[in-house]
């Protein structure tokens, strides 16, 4: 058996990427005020800003798009997708939305009240923001291992059951439901084990609380379970996913990830209890419940995409790709969050720029260096994203300075990854020439998206 794992697809349609020179990129980054969010995508060679909605659809999905039924109410495309989702999730109710945060907004507004509290392994930032907007406290209870980047553990996305129990006993009256994010994006795309999902659901049930899962990357999570959790080696991805969903009472999903589509999301719920409120809000904000902010063709593409997302050959290649880049980084002495997650590699910028002071934003500096060095766009997850400038002009800094490289699905081949590994290794070799930045203009919230910087 050959050891090389190949991309399990052939390329039928291509999108050219534009080669740029380093001198050109220097001008482009200067014009973007040293903020890669402000670059035009066509000036980026390898765009690893996010895996959300950026992947390639298959010929079967493009074919299905022609089948889209654009009827306002009761479209055929809705029922086709509903059947696929009911089969995977076992849930009675399916409510489409235009993307993940819309599913969160509709569900939380229907169910939550100010003063409540929701536990999760880690809330994704839109999940946290949607809860906090309603006056609900979002509490992250991932296991301690999940917070140590260099530590190897098979399921770093697991929720800490002892802390959940303590919280349920102390604050049970304030908790409308428990949440669990699979995989744990905020913690590095790390999976949650089946044993943890089962035990968490049982604990919630003892206290009469439903479990709502955030299932953006349930296929990647299922593949990790197959590869790492004893007893699942010979179980199909679909059967693993079905078991994961069997412990939940509902879920929200951004289909822009494992749904293999460029736009879409949904809510699923097992019981009728919240459905009247959810349906009313859906009509108010997203649209009639059989299209929910999506075109019929989007529903068709998702019905196919959800099935392709569970393909084992695809998932093996997907997880191996991230692992492969990790191995290349390790060989170059570059630190990263370990083990590599499902959808991204998080480089520890402090291992490339150990002497750069936090005030020069090493994560941001490395992000800029990867663009200058090789036209690669990642995203800083460090002190520009999570630090703050206080009213007295002083700064707070984040504990970690990471650069996340998130991989669009079925889009880049091994040579792109080899190229990236070379660029990152070169950045480390030339670390002394990498310059830090200062922020010269910033908005009050979410400054990383729009801030303007200058070289120090
Ligand atoms: C875990 C998780 N939940 C929710 C969302 C929000 O989804 P969307 O971007 O489709 O609104 C994301 C998006 O990145 C995510 O990763």
């Amino acid at each position: 058996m050959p050891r090389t794992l190949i991309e399990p697809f052939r390329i039928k349609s291509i999108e050219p990427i534009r080669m740029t020179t380093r001198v050109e990129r220097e001008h482009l980054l200067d014009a973007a005020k040293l903020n890669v969010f402000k670059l035009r995508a066509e000036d980026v060679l390898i765009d690893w800003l996010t895996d959300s909605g950026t992947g390639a659809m298959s010929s079967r999905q493009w074919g299905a798009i022609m089948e889209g039924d654009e009827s306002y109410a009761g479209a055929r495309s809705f029922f086709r997708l509903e059947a696929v989702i009911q089969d995977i999730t076992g849930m009675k109710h399916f409510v489409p939305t235009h993307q993940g945060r819309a599913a969160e907004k509709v569900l939380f507004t229907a169910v939550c009240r100010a003063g409540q509290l929701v536990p999760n392994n880690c809330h994704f930032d839109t999940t946290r923001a949607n809860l906090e907007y309603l006056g609900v406290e979002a509490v992250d209870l991932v296991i301690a291992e999940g917070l140590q980047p260099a530590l190897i553990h098979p399921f770093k996305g697991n929720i800490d059951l002892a802390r959940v129990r303590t919280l349920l006993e102390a604050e049970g009256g304030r908790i409308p439901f428990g949440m669990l994010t699979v995989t744990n994006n905020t913690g590095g795309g790390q999976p949650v084990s089946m044993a943890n999902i089962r035990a968490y659901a049982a604990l919630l049930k003892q206290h009469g609380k439903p479990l709502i899962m955030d299932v953006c990357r349930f296929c990647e999570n299922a593949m990790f379970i197959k590869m790492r959790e004893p007893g699942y080696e010979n179980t199909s991805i679909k059967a693993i996913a079905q078991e994961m969903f069997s412990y939940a009472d509902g879920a929200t999903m951004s289909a822009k990830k494992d749904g293999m589509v460029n736009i879409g999301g949904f809510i699923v719920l097992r019981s009728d209890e919240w459905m009247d409120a959810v349906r009313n809000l859906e009509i108010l904000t997203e649209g009639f419940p059989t299209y929910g902010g999506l075109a019929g063709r989007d529903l068709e593409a998702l019905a196919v995409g959800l099935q392709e997302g569970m393909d084992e050959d695809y998932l093996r290649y997907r997880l191996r790709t991230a692992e492969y880049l990790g191995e290349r980084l390790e060989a170059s002495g570059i630190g990263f969050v370990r083990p590599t997650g499902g959808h991204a590699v998080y480089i520890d910028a402090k291992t490339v720029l150990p002497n750069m002071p936090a005030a020069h934003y090493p994560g941001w500096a490395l992000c800029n260096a990867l663009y200058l060095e090789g036209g690669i766009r990642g995203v800083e997850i460090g002190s520009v994203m999570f630090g703050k400038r206080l009213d007295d002009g002083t700064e707070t800094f984040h504990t970690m300075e990471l650069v996340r490289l998130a991989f669009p699905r079925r889009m880049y081949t091994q040579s792109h990854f080899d190229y990236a590994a070379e660029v990152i290794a070169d950045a480390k070799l030339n670390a002394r020439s990498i310059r830090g930045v200062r922020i010269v203009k910033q908005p009050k919230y979410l400054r990383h998206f729009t801030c303007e910087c200058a070289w120090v």
Side-chain angles (χ1 to χ4, degrees):
M1 189 68 183
R3 284 188 306 118
T4 304
L5 198 70
I6 58 170
E7 287 85 5
F9 48 81
R10 298 188 297 191
I11 297 169
K12 186 170 233 162
S13 171
I14 61 108
E15 188 180 4
I17 45 182
R18 193 169 78 83
M19 299 290 172
T20 45
T21 63
R22 186 181 168 113
V23 174
E24 249 180 289
R25 292 194 291 272
E26 278 169 14
H27 290 305
L28 291 164
L29 193 59
D30 276 345
K33 310 290 182 198
L34 310 188
N35 182 344
V36 295
F37 277 102
K38 291 177 185 275
L39 291 168
R40 282 175 181 239
E42 64 186 10
D43 296 329
V44 175
L45 197 58
I46 294 190
D47 205 347
W48 286 346
L49 193 67
T50 175
D51 68 319
S52 180
T54 49
M57 289 208 292
S58 68
S59 50
R60 276 189 61 218
Q61 285 178 291
W62 285 109
I65 275 177
M66 285 306 290
E67 300 270 329
D69 175 356
E70 305 301 343
S71 306
Y72 189 93
R76 187 180 59 240
S77 303
F78 170 82
F79 295 106
R80 196 174 285 174
L81 176 57
E82 183 186 53
V84 170
I85 289 180
Q86 284 175 337
D87 179 36
I88 300 168
T89 67
M91 307 253 182
K92 180 174 169 195
H93 301 290
F94 152 61
V95 182
T97 60
H98 80 276
Q99 62 182 84
R101 69 199 68 186
E104 293 164 358
K105 169 94 181 155
V106 168
L107 181 67
F108 299 165
T109 309
V111 176
C112 300
R113 299 291 164 260
Q116 290 182 323
L117 177 160
V118 171
N120 200 335
N121 45 359
C122 289
H123 292 82
F124 180 67
D125 56 11
T126 61
T127 322
R128 170 177 292 279
N130 269 307
L131 287 169
E132 289 178 352
Y133 183 74
L134 294 167
V136 179
E137 199 181 328
V139 180
D140 289 349
L141 295 174
V142 71
I143 54 170
E145 291 88 336
L147 298 173
Q148 298 171 54
L151 191 116
I152 306 268
H153 182 287
F155 292 104
K156 283 172 97 171
N158 281 356
I159 194 163
D160 186 331
L161 297 167
R163 288 167 71 208
V164 173
R165 187 187 302 276
T166 308
L167 192 71
L168 281 164
E169 283 164 5
E171 301 274 8
R174 289 174 63 205
I175 300 178
F177 50 78
M179 282 197 79
L180 193 64
T181 308
V182 298
T183 57
N184 185 20
N185 183 5
T186 311
Q190 299 292 329
V192 181
S193 71
M194 191 72 88
N196 191 252
I197 301 174
R198 196 184 298 125
Y200 180 44
L203 191 53
L204 288 168
K205 199 166 184 184
Q206 276 172 21
H207 289 79
K209 309 293 177 192
L211 168 59
I212 303 295
M213 294 210 291
D214 175 342
V215 294
C216 298
R217 300 180 181 85
F218 74 91
C219 305
E220 291 171 7
N221 201 84
M223 188 69 197
F224 277 121
I225 288 176
K226 184 173 177 104
M227 291 178 355
R228 294 182 184 170
E229 192 160 351
Y232 289 94
E233 306 81 354
N234 299 316
T235 312
S236 72
I237 297 301
K238 184 169 165 190
I240 294 174
Q242 284 170 327
E243 186 181 339
M244 285 164 55
F245 280 106
S246 74
Y247 302 119
D249 301 282
T252 56
M253 176 161 186
S254 167
K256 298 168 75 173
K257 284 80 171 178
D258 281 356
M260 315 293 270
V261 289
N262 304 119
I263 195 73
F266 60 83
I267 302 167
V268 282
L269 288 170
R270 200 175 290 288
S271 99
D272 301 339
E273 195 187 336
W274 295 333
M275 271 313 291
D276 283 343
V278 165
R279 213 175 274 118
N280 288 339
L281 278 160
E282 165 88 347
I283 293 172
L284 194 67
T285 57
E286 288 291 285
F288 195 74
T290 59
Y291 73 84
L294 294 170
R297 55 179 173 271
D298 299 326
L299 303 174
E300 293 285 349
L302 179 53
V304 177
L306 281 168
Q307 297 174 71
E308 293 183 349
M310 292 189 296
D311 182 89
E312 210 177 300
D313 290 336
Y314 153 73
L315 285 167
R316 186 164 287 114
Y317 133 84
R318 170 111 179 125
L319 303 191
R320 175 66 193 138
T321 308
E323 189 183 51
Y324 174 74
L325 184 59
E327 287 167 6
R328 297 281 312 255
L329 296 184
E330 188 165 13
S332 304
I334 295 163
F336 54 94
V337 176
R338 290 148 157 278
T340 49
H343 67 290
V345 168
Y346 295 64
I347 304 172
D348 180 355
K350 289 183 184 171
T351 64
V352 179
L353 302 166
N355 302 319
M356 185 176 282
H360 295 182
Y361 304 108
W364 196 267
L366 180 60
C367 206
N368 283 343
L370 297 186
Y371 178 69
L372 290 176
E373 197 80 42
I376 298 170
R377 174 156 70 170
V379 63
E380 183 246 29
I381 301 195
S383 295
V384 178
M385 188 179 272
F386 290 122
K388 275 200 180 82
R389 186 161 297 172
L390 304 176
D391 289 340
D392 64 3
T394 56
E395 288 274 332
T396 64
F397 298 102
H398 191 52
T399 45
M400 288 196 276
E401 293 292 343
L402 304 176
V403 175
R404 186 189 77 176
L405 304 174
F407 313 126
R409 291 166 179 76
R410 304 186 290 202
M411 183 165 274
Y412 293 100
T413 64
Q414 184 171 351
S415 66
H416 294 111
F417 282 84
D418 285 333
Y419 170 88
E422 243 178 81
V423 170
I424 302 163
D426 284 350
K428 183 169 163 66
L429 287 177
N430 303 326
R432 266 201 269 174
S433 67
I434 296 179
R435 297 163 74 185
V437 299
R438 60 194 167 83
I439 302 175
V440 292
K441 191 171 168 204
Q442 57 182 305
K444 194 162 164 72
Y445 299 108
L446 299 172
R447 64 180 181 178
H448 56 288
F449 288 122
T450 56
C451 67
E452 297 181 2
C453 302
W455 299 118
V456 280

